[in-house]
């Protein structure tokens, strides 16, 4: 039996894969983690097990959210924002994004302590995102938005 070879050609837009961006952890979030850590140590030293246990659970939840926050641009024109296993994943259509802005917060002179990507949607909602590669995220988002706009026109 001879070997049959099948070749398939696909359009470049249809061959697009999901792109996942991880969240950056800011200095303020590290400082926030310091408070429950100090309370856990204080609870152990004073033998107050309830405070220690409560703060350890809080630490686990916060660390889990920080580590597992992702922003996914899907091939079917969706932005999925996942904030860990204990939160529901948010989904937005890329066509609903009206404005993408790289913003800065907490300015100390010319130095920006925090910078983020601000997305505005057609329903009036906003999302502030902290991707590790902001420039790459904005470029991928704009590229996929243009593709989503072309599909809507057809």
């Amino acid at each position: 039996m001879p070997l049959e070879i099948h070749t398939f050609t696909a359009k470049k837009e249809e061959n697009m894969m999901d792109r996942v961006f991880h969240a950056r952890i800011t200095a303020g979030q590290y400082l926030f983690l310091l408070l429950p850590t100090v309370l856990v140590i204080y609870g152990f030293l004073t033998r107050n097990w309830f405070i220690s246990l409560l703060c350890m659970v809080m630490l686990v939840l916060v660390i889990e959210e920080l580590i597992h926050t992702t922003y996914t641009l899907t091939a079917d024109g969706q932005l999925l924002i996942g904030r860990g296993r204990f939160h529901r994943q948010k989904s937005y259509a890329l066509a609903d994004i009206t404005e993408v802005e790289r913003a800065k917060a907490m300015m100390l002179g010319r130095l920006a302590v925090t910078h983020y990507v601000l997305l505005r949607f057609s329903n009036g909602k906003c999302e502030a995102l902290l991707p590790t590669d902001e420039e790459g995220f904005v470029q991928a988002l704009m590229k996929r938005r243009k593709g989503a706009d072309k599909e809507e026109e057809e």
Side-chain angles (χ1 to χ4, degrees):
M1 180 171 199
L3 180 64
E4 294 182 24
I5 298 175
H6 297 279
T7 58
F8 299 98
T9 57
K11 293 180 184 176
K12 196 171 194 174
E13 293 81 29
E14 292 176 5
N15 201 15
M16 198 174 293
M17 296 174 51
D18 291 354
R19 181 92 190 266
V20 178
F21 293 88
H22 294 276
R24 182 180 68 247
I25 301 174
T26 64
Q29 291 168 327
Y30 282 119
L31 288 175
F32 176 73
L33 289 175
L34 196 61
L35 177 67
T37 304
V38 169
L39 288 174
V40 166
I41 294 169
Y42 172 78
F44 280 138
L45 292 176
T46 60
R47 295 182 189 219
N48 189 342
W49 305 113
F50 181 72
I51 287 177
S52 294
L53 183 64
L54 189 66
C55 290
M56 281 192 292
V57 168
M58 186 172 112
L59 263 174
V60 167
L61 292 175
V62 170
I63 289 172
E64 199 282 330
E65 181 179 343
L66 291 175
I67 290 174
H68 291 105
T69 297
T70 58
Y71 314 115
T72 306
L73 298 170
T74 64
D76 61 343
Q78 295 286 318
L79 169 64
L80 305 177
I81 301 174
R83 299 200 190 272
R85 291 177 262 216
F86 303 120
H87 294 275
R88 191 177 310 165
Q89 191 173 43
K90 293 181 183 179
S91 175
Y92 298 102
L94 294 180
D96 291 343
I97 298 174
T98 58
E99 185 179 347
V100 178
E101 177 184 349
R102 294 181 69 191
K104 297 177 182 177
M106 294 177 46
M107 299 290 287
L108 297 174
R110 290 182 163 179
L111 180 68
V113 176
T114 306
H115 46 95
Y116 56 95
V117 176
L118 181 66
L119 301 179
R120 296 181 197 274
F121 298 96
S122 58
N123 60 2
K125 291 186 179 182
C126 296
E127 280 284 343
L129 308 179
L130 296 164
T132 52
D133 179 17
E134 282 184 27
E135 188 64 35
F137 176 76
V138 170
Q139 287 177 354
L141 182 66
M142 296 305 252
K143 179 181 173 186
R144 290 183 188 236
R145 255 183 70 197
K146 288 178 186 174
D149 290 341
K150 287 179 184 175
E151 286 179 11
E152 277 188 4
E153 290 175 2
E154 292 175 355

Coordinates of all heavy atoms in Angstrom, one line a residue, residues 2-86:
P2 N 0.7 2.1 -1.0 CA 1.6 3.3 -1.1 C 1.2 4.3 0.0 O 0.1 4.4 0.5 CB 1.3 3.8 -2.5 CG 0.0 3.3 -2.9 CD -0.2 2.0 -2.1
L3 N 2.2 5.1 0.4 CA 2.1 6.1 1.4 C 1.5 7.4 0.7 O 2.0 7.8 -0.3 CB 3.4 6.4 2.0 CG 3.4 7.5 3.1 CD1 2.6 7.0 4.3 CD2 4.9 7.8 3.5
E4 N 0.4 7.8 1.3 CA -0.2 9.0 0.7 C 0.2 10.2 1.6 O 0.1 10.2 2.8 CB -1.8 8.9 0.8 CG -2.3 7.8 -0.2 CD -3.8 7.7 -0.2 OE1 -4.4 8.7 0.2 OE2 -4.3 6.7 -0.5
I5 N 0.5 11.3 0.9 CA 0.9 12.5 1.6 C -0.1 13.6 1.3 O -0.4 13.9 0.1 CB 2.3 13.0 1.2 CG1 3.3 11.9 1.6 CG2 2.6 14.3 1.8 CD1 4.7 12.3 1.1
H6 N -0.7 14.1 2.4 CA -1.7 15.2 2.2 C -1.1 16.5 2.7 O -0.5 16.6 3.7 CB -3.0 14.9 3.0 CG -3.7 13.7 2.6 ND1 -4.5 13.6 1.5 CD2 -3.7 12.4 3.1 CE1 -5.0 12.4 1.4 NE2 -4.5 11.6 2.3
T7 N -1.3 17.5 1.9 CA -0.8 18.9 2.3 C -2.0 19.8 2.5 O -2.9 19.7 1.7 CB 0.2 19.4 1.3 OG1 -0.4 19.5 0.1 CG2 1.5 18.6 1.2
F8 N -1.9 20.6 3.5 CA -3.0 21.5 3.8 C -2.4 22.9 3.8 O -1.3 23.1 4.4 CB -3.7 21.2 5.1 CG -4.3 19.9 5.2 CD1 -3.7 18.8 5.8 CD2 -5.6 19.7 4.6 CE1 -4.3 17.6 5.8 CE2 -6.2 18.5 4.7 CZ -5.5 17.4 5.3
T9 N -3.0 23.8 3.2 CA -2.6 25.2 3.3 C -3.7 26.0 4.0 O -4.9 25.8 3.8 CB -2.4 25.8 1.9 OG1 -3.6 25.7 1.2 CG2 -1.2 25.1 1.2
A10 N -3.3 26.9 4.9 CA -4.2 27.7 5.7 C -3.8 29.1 5.5 O -2.7 29.5 5.3 CB -4.2 27.2 7.1
K11 N -4.8 30.0 5.7 CA -4.6 31.4 5.7 C -3.8 31.7 6.9 O -4.0 31.1 8.0 CB -5.9 32.2 5.6 CG -6.6 32.0 4.3 CD -7.9 32.8 4.3 CE -8.7 32.6 3.1 NZ -10.0 33.3 3.2
K12 N -3.0 32.8 6.9 CA -2.2 33.2 8.0 C -3.1 33.6 9.2 O -2.7 33.2 10.3 CB -1.3 34.3 7.6 CG -0.1 34.6 8.5 CD 0.8 35.5 7.9 CE 2.1 35.5 8.7 NZ 3.1 36.3 8.2
E13 N -4.2 34.3 9.0 CA -5.0 34.7 10.1 C -5.7 33.5 10.8 O -5.8 33.6 12.0 CB -6.1 35.6 9.6 CG -5.6 37.0 9.1 CD -5.1 36.9 7.6 OE1 -5.6 36.1 6.9 OE2 -4.2 37.7 7.3
E14 N -6.0 32.5 10.1 CA -6.7 31.3 10.7 C -5.7 30.5 11.4 O -6.0 29.7 12.3 CB -7.3 30.5 9.6 CG -8.5 31.2 9.0 CD -9.1 30.3 7.8 OE1 -8.6 29.2 7.6 OE2 -10.0 30.9 7.2
N15 N -4.4 30.6 11.1 CA -3.4 29.8 11.8 C -2.9 30.5 13.1 O -1.9 30.0 13.6 CB -2.2 29.5 10.8 CG -1.4 28.3 11.2 OD1 -1.8 27.5 12.0 ND2 -0.2 28.2 10.6
M16 N -3.5 31.5 13.5 CA -3.0 32.2 14.7 C -3.3 31.4 16.0 O -4.4 30.8 16.1 CB -3.8 33.6 14.8 CG -3.1 34.6 15.7 SD -3.9 36.2 15.6 CE -3.5 36.7 14.0
M17 N -2.3 31.4 16.9 CA -2.5 30.6 18.1 C -2.8 31.6 19.3 O -2.6 32.8 19.1 CB -1.2 29.9 18.4 CG -0.8 28.8 17.3 SD 0.8 28.1 17.5 CE 0.8 27.6 19.2
D18 N -3.2 31.0 20.4 CA -3.4 31.8 21.6 C -2.0 32.3 22.1 O -1.0 31.6 22.0 CB -4.0 30.9 22.7 CG -5.4 30.6 22.4 OD1 -6.0 31.0 21.3 OD2 -6.0 29.8 23.1
R19 N -2.1 33.5 22.6 CA -0.8 34.1 23.1 C -1.1 34.5 24.6 O -2.1 35.1 24.9 CB -0.6 35.4 22.3 CG 0.7 36.2 22.7 CD 1.9 35.7 21.9 NE 3.1 36.3 22.5 CZ 3.6 37.4 22.1 NH1 3.1 38.1 21.1 NH2 4.7 37.8 22.7
V20 N -0.2 34.0 25.5 CA -0.4 34.1 26.9 C 0.7 35.1 27.4 O 1.9 34.9 27.2 CB -0.3 32.7 27.6 CG1 -0.4 32.9 29.1 CG2 -1.4 31.8 27.1
F21 N 0.2 36.0 28.2 CA 1.1 37.0 28.9 C 0.9 36.8 30.4 O -0.2 36.8 30.9 CB 0.8 38.4 28.5 CG 1.1 38.7 27.0 CD1 0.2 38.5 26.1 CD2 2.3 39.2 26.7 CE1 0.4 38.8 24.8 CE2 2.6 39.5 25.3 CZ 1.6 39.2 24.4
H22 N 2.0 36.8 31.1 CA 1.9 36.7 32.6 C 2.0 38.1 33.2 O 2.5 39.0 32.6 CB 3.1 35.8 33.1 CG 3.0 34.4 32.7 ND1 2.2 33.5 33.3 CD2 3.5 33.7 31.6 CE1 2.3 32.3 32.7 NE2 3.1 32.4 31.7
A23 N 1.5 38.2 34.4 CA 1.4 39.4 35.1 C 2.7 39.7 35.8 O 3.4 38.8 36.3 CB 0.3 39.5 36.1
R24 N 3.0 41.0 35.8 CA 4.2 41.5 36.6 C 3.8 41.7 38.0 O 2.7 42.2 38.3 CB 4.7 42.8 35.9 CG 5.9 43.4 36.5 CD 6.3 44.7 35.8 NE 5.3 45.8 36.1 CZ 4.5 46.3 35.2 NH1 4.6 45.9 33.9 NH2 3.7 47.2 35.5
I25 N 4.7 41.5 38.9 CA 4.4 41.7 40.4 C 5.2 43.0 40.7 O 6.4 43.2 40.5 CB 5.0 40.6 41.2 CG1 4.3 39.3 40.8 CG2 4.7 40.9 42.7 CD1 4.8 38.0 41.5
T26 N 4.4 44.0 41.2 CA 4.9 45.3 41.5 C 5.5 45.4 42.9 O 5.3 44.5 43.8 CB 3.8 46.4 41.4 OG1 2.8 46.2 42.3 CG2 3.2 46.4 40.0
A27 N 6.2 46.5 43.2 CA 6.8 46.7 44.5 C 5.8 46.8 45.6 O 5.9 46.3 46.7 CB 7.7 47.9 44.5
G28 N 4.6 47.4 45.3 CA 3.5 47.5 46.2 C 3.0 46.2 46.6 O 2.6 46.0 47.8
Q29 N 2.9 45.3 45.7 CA 2.4 43.9 46.0 C 3.4 43.2 46.9 O 2.9 42.4 47.7 CB 2.1 43.2 44.7 CG 1.0 43.8 43.9 CD 0.9 43.2 42.5 OE1 1.9 42.9 41.8 NE2 -0.4 43.1 42.0
Y30 N 4.7 43.3 46.6 CA 5.6 42.7 47.5 C 5.5 43.3 48.9 O 5.6 42.5 49.9 CB 7.1 42.9 47.0 CG 7.5 42.0 45.9 CD1 7.8 42.6 44.7 CD2 7.5 40.7 46.0 CE1 8.2 41.7 43.6 CE2 7.9 39.8 45.0 CZ 8.2 40.4 43.8 OH 8.6 39.6 42.8
L31 N 5.3 44.6 49.0 CA 5.1 45.2 50.4 C 3.9 44.7 51.0 O 3.8 44.5 52.3 CB 5.1 46.7 50.3 CG 6.5 47.4 50.0 CD1 6.3 48.9 49.7 CD2 7.5 47.1 51.1
F32 N 2.8 44.5 50.3 CA 1.6 44.0 50.8 C 1.8 42.6 51.4 O 1.2 42.2 52.4 CB 0.5 44.0 49.8 CG -0.8 43.4 50.3 CD1 -1.6 44.0 51.1 CD2 -1.2 42.1 49.8 CE1 -2.8 43.5 51.6 CE2 -2.4 41.5 50.3 CZ -3.2 42.2 51.2
L33 N 2.6 41.8 50.7 CA 2.9 40.4 51.2 C 3.7 40.4 52.5 O 3.6 39.5 53.3 CB 3.7 39.6 50.2 CG 2.9 39.2 48.9 CD1 3.9 38.5 47.9 CD2 1.8 38.3 49.3
L34 N 4.4 41.5 52.8 CA 5.1 41.7 54.0 C 4.2 41.7 55.2 O 4.6 41.2 56.3 CB 6.0 42.9 53.9 CG 7.2 43.0 54.9 CD1 8.1 41.9 54.7 CD2 7.9 44.3 54.7
L35 N 3.1 42.4 55.2 CA 2.2 42.5 56.3 C 1.7 41.2 56.8 O 1.8 40.9 58.0 CB 1.0 43.5 55.9 CG 0.0 43.7 57.0 CD1 0.6 44.4 58.2 CD2 -1.2 44.4 56.5
P36 N 1.1 40.4 56.0 CA 0.6 39.1 56.6 C 1.8 38.2 57.1 O 1.6 37.4 58.0 CB -0.2 38.4 55.5 CG -0.1 39.3 54.3 CD 0.6 40.5 54.7
T37 N 2.9 38.3 56.4 CA 4.1 37.5 56.8 C 4.5 37.9 58.3 O 4.8 37.1 59.1 CB 5.3 37.7 55.9 OG1 4.8 37.4 54.5 CG2 6.5 36.9 56.2
V38 N 4.6 39.2 58.5 CA 4.9 39.7 59.9 C 3.8 39.3 60.8 O 4.1 38.9 62.0 CB 5.1 41.3 59.8 CG1 5.1 41.8 61.2 CG2 6.3 41.6 59.0
L39 N 2.6 39.3 60.5 CA 1.5 38.9 61.4 C 1.6 37.4 61.7 O 1.3 36.9 62.8 CB 0.1 39.2 60.8 CG -0.2 40.7 60.8 CD1 -1.5 41.0 60.1 CD2 -0.3 41.2 62.2
V40 N 2.0 36.6 60.7 CA 2.2 35.1 60.9 C 3.3 34.9 61.9 O 3.1 34.1 62.9 CB 2.5 34.4 59.6 CG1 3.0 33.0 59.9 CG2 1.3 34.3 58.7
I41 N 4.4 35.6 61.8 CA 5.5 35.5 62.7 C 5.1 36.0 64.1 O 5.4 35.3 65.1 CB 6.7 36.3 62.2 CG1 7.2 35.6 60.9 CG2 7.8 36.3 63.2 CD1 8.3 36.4 60.2
Y42 N 4.4 37.1 64.2 CA 3.9 37.6 65.4 C 2.9 36.6 66.1 O 3.0 36.3 67.3 CB 3.1 38.9 65.2 CG 2.4 39.4 66.4 CD1 3.1 40.0 67.5 CD2 1.0 39.3 66.6 CE1 2.5 40.5 68.6 CE2 0.4 39.7 67.7 CZ 1.1 40.3 68.7 OH 0.4 40.8 69.8
G43 N 2.1 36.0 65.3 CA 1.1 35.0 65.9 C 1.9 33.8 66.4 O 1.5 33.2 67.5
F44 N 2.9 33.3 65.7 CA 3.7 32.2 66.2 C 4.4 32.6 67.5 O 4.5 31.8 68.5 CB 4.8 31.7 65.2 CG 4.2 30.9 64.1 CD1 4.5 31.0 62.8 CD2 3.3 29.9 64.4 CE1 4.0 30.2 61.8 CE2 2.7 29.0 63.5 CZ 3.1 29.2 62.1
L45 N 5.0 33.8 67.6 CA 5.8 34.2 68.8 C 4.9 34.4 70.0 O 5.3 34.1 71.1 CB 6.6 35.5 68.5 CG 7.7 35.3 67.5 CD1 8.3 36.7 67.2 CD2 8.7 34.4 68.0
T46 N 3.7 34.8 69.8 CA 2.7 35.0 70.9 C 1.8 33.8 71.1 O 0.9 33.9 72.0 CB 1.9 36.3 70.6 OG1 1.1 36.1 69.4 CG2 2.7 37.5 70.6
R47 N 2.0 32.8 70.3 CA 1.2 31.6 70.4 C -0.3 31.8 70.2 O -1.1 31.2 70.8 CB 1.5 30.8 71.7 CG 2.9 30.4 71.8 CD 3.1 29.7 73.1 NE 4.6 29.4 73.2 CZ 5.1 28.3 73.6 NH1 4.3 27.3 74.0 NH2 6.4 28.2 73.7
N48 N -0.5 32.7 69.3 CA -1.9 33.0 68.9 C -2.1 32.3 67.5 O -1.8 32.9 66.5 CB -2.1 34.5 68.8 CG -3.6 34.9 68.6 OD1 -4.4 34.0 68.2 ND2 -3.9 36.1 68.8
W49 N -2.5 31.1 67.6 CA -2.6 30.2 66.4 C -3.7 30.7 65.5 O -3.6 30.5 64.3 CB -2.8 28.8 66.8 CG -1.8 28.3 67.8 CD1 -1.9 27.9 69.1 CD2 -0.4 28.2 67.5 NE1 -0.7 27.6 69.6 CE2 0.2 27.7 68.7 CE3 0.4 28.4 66.4 CZ2 1.6 27.5 68.8 CZ3 1.8 28.2 66.5 CH2 2.3 27.7 67.7
F50 N -4.7 31.3 66.0 CA -5.8 31.8 65.1 C -5.3 32.8 64.1 O -5.6 32.8 62.9 CB -7.0 32.3 65.9 CG -8.2 32.7 65.1 CD1 -8.9 31.8 64.4 CD2 -8.4 34.1 64.9 CE1 -10.0 32.2 63.6 CE2 -9.5 34.5 64.1 CZ -10.2 33.6 63.5
I51 N -4.6 33.8 64.7 CA -4.0 34.9 63.8 C -3.1 34.3 62.8 O -3.1 34.7 61.6 CB -3.3 36.0 64.7 CG1 -4.4 36.8 65.4 CG2 -2.5 36.9 63.8 CD1 -3.8 37.9 66.3
S52 N -2.2 33.4 63.3 CA -1.2 32.8 62.4 C -1.9 32.0 61.2 O -1.6 32.1 60.1 CB -0.3 31.8 63.1 OG 0.5 32.6 64.0
L53 N -2.9 31.2 61.6 CA -3.6 30.4 60.6 C -4.3 31.3 59.6 O -4.3 31.1 58.4 CB -4.6 29.4 61.3 CG -5.3 28.5 60.3 CD1 -4.3 27.5 59.7 CD2 -6.3 27.7 61.1
L54 N -5.0 32.3 60.1 CA -5.8 33.2 59.2 C -4.9 33.9 58.3 O -5.1 34.0 57.1 CB -6.6 34.2 60.1 CG -7.5 35.1 59.4 CD1 -8.7 34.3 58.8 CD2 -8.0 36.2 60.3
C55 N -3.7 34.4 58.8 CA -2.8 35.1 57.9 C -2.1 34.2 56.9 O -1.7 34.6 55.8 CB -1.8 35.9 58.7 SG -2.5 37.3 59.6
M56 N -1.8 32.9 57.3 CA -1.2 32.0 56.4 C -2.2 31.7 55.2 O -1.8 31.6 54.1 CB -0.8 30.7 57.1 CG 0.5 30.8 57.9 SD 1.1 29.3 58.4 CE 0.0 28.8 59.6
V57 N -3.5 31.5 55.5 CA -4.5 31.3 54.5 C -4.5 32.5 53.5 O -4.5 32.4 52.3 CB -5.8 31.0 55.1 CG1 -6.9 31.0 54.0 CG2 -5.8 29.6 55.8
M58 N -4.5 33.7 54.1 CA -4.5 34.9 53.3 C -3.3 35.0 52.4 O -3.3 35.3 51.3 CB -4.6 36.1 54.2 CG -4.7 37.4 53.5 SD -5.0 38.8 54.6 CE -3.5 39.7 54.3
L59 N -2.1 34.6 53.0 CA -0.9 34.6 52.2 C -0.9 33.7 51.0 O -0.5 34.0 49.9 CB 0.3 34.2 53.1 CG 1.2 35.3 53.7 CD1 2.2 34.8 54.6 CD2 1.8 36.2 52.6
V60 N -1.5 32.5 51.3 CA -1.6 31.5 50.2 C -2.5 32.0 49.1 O -2.2 31.9 47.9 CB -2.1 30.1 50.8 CG1 -2.5 29.2 49.6 CG2 -1.1 29.5 51.6
L61 N -3.6 32.6 49.5 CA -4.6 33.1 48.5 C -4.0 34.2 47.6 O -4.1 34.3 46.4 CB -5.9 33.6 49.1 CG -6.7 32.5 49.8 CD1 -7.9 33.1 50.5 CD2 -7.2 31.5 48.7
V62 N -3.3 35.2 48.3 CA -2.7 36.3 47.6 C -1.5 35.9 46.7 O -1.4 36.3 45.6 CB -2.2 37.4 48.6 CG1 -1.4 38.5 47.9 CG2 -3.4 38.0 49.3
I63 N -0.7 35.0 47.2 CA 0.5 34.5 46.4 C 0.0 33.7 45.2 O 0.5 33.9 44.1 CB 1.4 33.7 47.3 CG1 2.2 34.6 48.3 CG2 2.4 32.9 46.4 CD1 3.0 33.9 49.3
E64 N -1.0 32.9 45.4 CA -1.6 32.1 44.3 C -2.2 33.1 43.2 O -2.0 32.8 42.0 CB -2.7 31.2 44.9 CG -3.1 30.1 44.0 CD -4.0 30.4 42.8 OE1 -4.8 31.4 42.9 OE2 -3.9 29.8 41.8
E65 N -2.8 34.1 43.6 CA -3.4 35.1 42.7 C -2.2 35.8 41.9 O -2.3 36.0 40.7 CB -4.3 36.1 43.3 CG -4.9 37.1 42.4 CD -5.8 38.1 43.1 OE1 -6.2 37.9 44.2 OE2 -6.0 39.1 42.4
L66 N -1.2 36.2 42.6 CA -0.1 36.9 42.0 C 0.6 36.0 41.0 O 1.0 36.5 39.9 CB 0.9 37.4 43.0 CG 0.4 38.6 43.9 CD1 1.4 38.9 45.0 CD2 0.1 39.8 43.1
I67 N 0.9 34.8 41.4 CA 1.7 33.9 40.5 C 0.9 33.4 39.3 O 1.4 33.3 38.2 CB 2.1 32.7 41.3 CG1 3.2 33.1 42.3 CG2 2.7 31.6 40.4 CD1 3.6 32.0 43.3
H68 N -0.4 33.2 39.4 CA -1.2 32.6 38.3 C -2.1 33.6 37.6 O -3.0 33.2 36.8 CB -2.1 31.5 38.9 CG -1.3 30.3 39.3 ND1 -1.1 30.0 40.7 CD2 -0.7 29.4 38.7 CE1 -0.4 28.9 40.8 NE2 -0.1 28.5 39.6
T69 N -1.8 34.9 37.7 CA -2.5 35.9 36.9 C -2.0 35.9 35.4 O -0.8 36.1 35.2 CB -2.4 37.3 37.5 OG1 -3.0 37.3 38.8 CG2 -3.1 38.3 36.6
T70 N -2.8 35.6 34.5 CA -2.4 35.6 33.1 C -3.4 36.4 32.2 O -4.6 36.6 32.6 CB -2.4 34.2 32.5 OG1 -3.6 33.6 32.7 CG2 -1.3 33.4 33.2
Y71 N -2.9 36.9 31.1 CA -3.7 37.6 30.1 C -3.6 36.8 28.8 O -2.5 36.7 28.3 CB -3.3 39.0 29.9 CG -3.1 39.7 31.2 CD1 -1.8 40.2 31.6 CD2 -4.2 39.9 32.1 CE1 -1.6 40.8 32.8 CE2 -4.0 40.6 33.3 CZ -2.7 41.0 33.7 OH -2.5 41.7 34.9
T72 N -4.7 36.2 28.3 CA -4.6 35.4 27.1 C -5.3 36.0 25.9 O -6.5 36.4 26.1 CB -5.2 34.0 27.4 OG1 -4.5 33.4 28.5 CG2 -5.0 33.1 26.2
L73 N -4.6 36.2 24.8 CA -5.3 36.7 23.6 C -5.5 35.4 22.8 O -4.6 34.7 22.3 CB -4.4 37.6 22.8 CG -4.0 38.9 23.6 CD1 -2.9 39.6 22.8 CD2 -5.2 39.8 23.7
T74 N -6.8 35.1 22.6 CA -7.2 33.9 21.9 C -7.3 34.1 20.4 O -7.4 35.2 19.9 CB -8.5 33.3 22.4 OG1 -9.5 34.2 22.0 CG2 -8.5 33.1 23.9
A75 N -7.2 32.9 19.7 CA -7.3 33.0 18.2 C -8.7 33.4 17.7 O -8.8 33.9 16.6 CB -6.9 31.6 17.6
D76 N -9.7 33.2 18.5 CA -11.1 33.6 18.1 C -11.4 35.0 18.5 O -12.6 35.4 18.6 CB -12.1 32.6 18.6 CG -12.1 32.5 20.1 OD1 -11.2 32.9 20.8 OD2 -13.1 31.9 20.7
G77 N -10.5 35.9 18.9 CA -10.7 37.3 19.1 C -11.2 37.6 20.5 O -12.1 38.5 20.7
Q78 N -10.8 36.9 21.5 CA -11.1 37.1 22.9 C -9.9 37.5 23.8 O -8.8 37.0 23.5 CB -11.8 35.9 23.5 CG -13.1 35.5 22.9 CD -14.2 36.4 23.3 OE1 -14.4 36.8 24.4 NE2 -15.0 36.8 22.3
L79 N -10.1 38.3 24.8 CA -9.1 38.5 25.8 C -9.6 37.9 27.1 O -10.7 38.2 27.6 CB -8.9 40.0 26.0 CG -8.1 40.4 27.3 CD1 -6.7 40.0 27.1 CD2 -8.1 41.9 27.5
L80 N -8.8 36.9 27.6 CA -9.2 36.2 28.8 C -8.3 36.7 29.9 O -7.0 36.6 29.8 CB -9.0 34.7 28.6 CG -9.8 34.0 27.5 CD1 -9.5 32.6 27.4 CD2 -11.3 34.3 27.6
I81 N -8.8 37.1 31.0 CA -8.1 37.6 32.1 C -8.3 36.6 33.3 O -9.4 36.5 33.8 CB -8.5 39.0 32.6 CG1 -8.3 40.0 31.4 CG2 -7.7 39.4 33.8 CD1 -8.8 41.4 31.7
G82 N -7.3 35.8 33.6 CA -7.3 34.8 34.6 C -6.5 35.3 35.8 O -5.4 35.6 35.7
R83 N -7.2 35.4 37.0 CA -6.5 35.9 38.2 C -6.3 34.8 39.2 O -6.6 34.9 40.4 CB -7.3 37.0 38.8 CG -7.4 38.2 37.9 CD -7.7 39.5 38.6 NE -8.0 40.6 37.7 CZ -7.1 41.4 37.1 NH1 -5.8 41.2 37.4 NH2 -7.5 42.4 36.4
G84 N -5.9 33.6 38.8 CA -5.7 32.5 39.7 C -6.8 31.5 39.6 O -7.8 31.7 39.0
R85 N -6.6 30.4 40.4 CA -7.5 29.3 40.4 C -8.8 29.6 41.2 O -9.8 29.0 41.1 CB -6.9 28.1 40.9 CG -5.9 27.5 40.0 CD -5.2 26.3 40.7 NE -4.0 26.8 41.2 CZ -2.9 26.1 41.3 NH1 -2.9 24.8 40.8 NH2 -1.8 26.5 41.8
F86 N -8.7 30.6 42.2 CA -9.8 30.8 43.0 C -10.7 32.0 42.6 O -11.6 32.4 43.2 CB -9.3 31.2 44.5 CG -8.5 30.1 45.0 CD1 -7.2 30.3 45.4 CD2 -9.0 28.8 45.2 CE1 -6.4 29.3 45.9 CE2 -8.2 27.8 45.7 CZ -6.9 28.0 46.1

